[in-house]
Amino acid sequence: MNQDTPQAYIDGFVYFCGLKFIVTSDTLIPRPETEQLVNSVVDFAKDHKDISIVDVGTGSGCIAILIAKKIPQAKITAIDVSEKALEIAKQNAQNHVVDITFLQNDLLANVKTKFDVIVANLPYIPSERIPNLDNSVKDFEPLHALDGGADGFDLYRKLFSQIISNNIQPDFLACEINDDQEDIALEESTKYFPNARIVVQNDSANLNRYLYVWF
């Protein structure tokens, strides 16, 4: 076994927010900072009796599953472009006994369903930085789940465009971003959603990490 192999891949699982999730080299290993992203959605949605939530780029399914555990009345859809990642997410959902609709798709392309909440933790690392990542990340975690294009924001631009073109009309959008993307996140989201209330919030380490949009 390579000394840089992440322990989670050796074990085949990781604990995230107190729950055990299967992970493989087809899925990213959940990071602690993503817990706050989950909590933001829960805080928004917890008092709604009927609410539909879509997790775009679900990977191991940890975000969708945690939301389903905390808001059992929510109707949740989880989307990923990777069939192998979706298989892992389905296993995790079965293990945690939650009802989630899974869809293999390119973000929200051709999705006409209206969702109240969209949550996304998409690839946001600029392509040129990939070779400089720790070996345990760049050599083992799936590249398509890391590489966000030239400035790291390509997938979010694509998502924003799809939200508009598909007339999805969400009430709330929550995204995890890179800690140096505050300016581009505000600029791009304002361009696509000029009438929305938009903020970037810090994580527990006081780093810019979350983009929130209220429509």
Side-chain angles (χ1 to χ4, degrees):
M1 185 69 66
N2 189 304
Q3 65 178 2
D4 293 322
T5 304
Q7 189 63 43
Y9 290 157
I10 296 173
D11 296 337
F13 66 87
V14 67
Y15 283 94
F16 176 65
C17 298
L19 298 182
K20 184 177 179 180
F21 290 93
I22 300 167
V23 290
T24 72
S25 57
D26 295 307
T27 64
L28 281 185
I29 300 167
R31 268 62 170 182
E33 55 266 25
T34 302
E35 181 175 359
Q36 190 170 325
L37 183 71
V38 172
N39 290 338
S40 71
V41 173
V42 172
D43 288 343
F44 179 87
K46 62 185 178 183
D47 295 326
H48 294 72
K49 290 184 178 180
D50 297 304
I51 192 163
S52 59
I53 301 170
V54 60
D55 173 24
V56 184
T58 196
S60 65
C62 62
I63 291 175
I65 290 165
L66 281 166
I67 294 171
K69 297 287 280 187
K70 295 185 178 187
I71 313 178
Q73 75 273 20
K75 181 180 180 182
I76 299 176
T77 301
I79 293 174
D80 205 283
V81 71
S82 167
E83 181 179 3
K84 291 182 178 179
L86 281 176
E87 288 302 316
I88 299 301
K90 289 175 183 177
Q91 290 180 49
N92 281 321
Q94 184 176 9
N95 290 345
H96 290 291
V97 197
V98 291
D99 184 14
I100 295 173
T101 300
F102 291 96
L103 176 64
Q104 184 181 2
N105 201 60
D106 182 11
L107 305 180
L108 293 175
N110 301 312
V111 173
K112 302 302 181 183
T113 305
K114 293 201 183 325
F115 294 103
D116 300 308
V117 176
I118 300 172
V119 57
N121 184 8
L122 300 179
Y124 52 63
I125 299 173
S127 301
E128 65 178 11
R129 296 187 192 173
I130 299 293
N132 299 322
L133 295 175
D134 190 86
N135 290 342
S136 65
V137 176
K138 69 180 181 181
D139 294 341
F140 294 94
E141 299 200 59
L143 179 62
H144 71 268
L146 296 169
D147 193 338
D151 62 4
F153 218 73
D154 282 1
L155 274 295
Y156 279 116
R157 288 190 190 89
K158 188 174 182 178
L159 176 66
F160 297 168
S161 177
Q162 291 171 347
I163 290 171
I164 294 171
S165 62
N166 294 346
N167 195 30
I168 292 176
Q169 300 180 345
D171 296 320
F172 181 54
L173 168 66
C175 306
E176 185 173 317
I177 61 175
N178 207 15
D179 59 20
D180 62 355
Q181 288 181 326
E182 178 182 16
D183 290 345
I184 193 170
L186 292 172
E187 178 182 349
E188 292 297 322
S189 54
T190 300
K191 183 189 304 181
Y192 284 93
F193 313 122
N195 298 317
R197 180 164 72 94
I198 302 168
V199 300
V200 169
Q201 288 189 358
N202 293 350
D203 62 15
S204 59
N206 205 32
L207 299 173
N208 296 319
R209 184 66 66 183
Y210 315 103
L211 171 69
Y212 298 136
V213 182
W214 292 265
F215 296 85

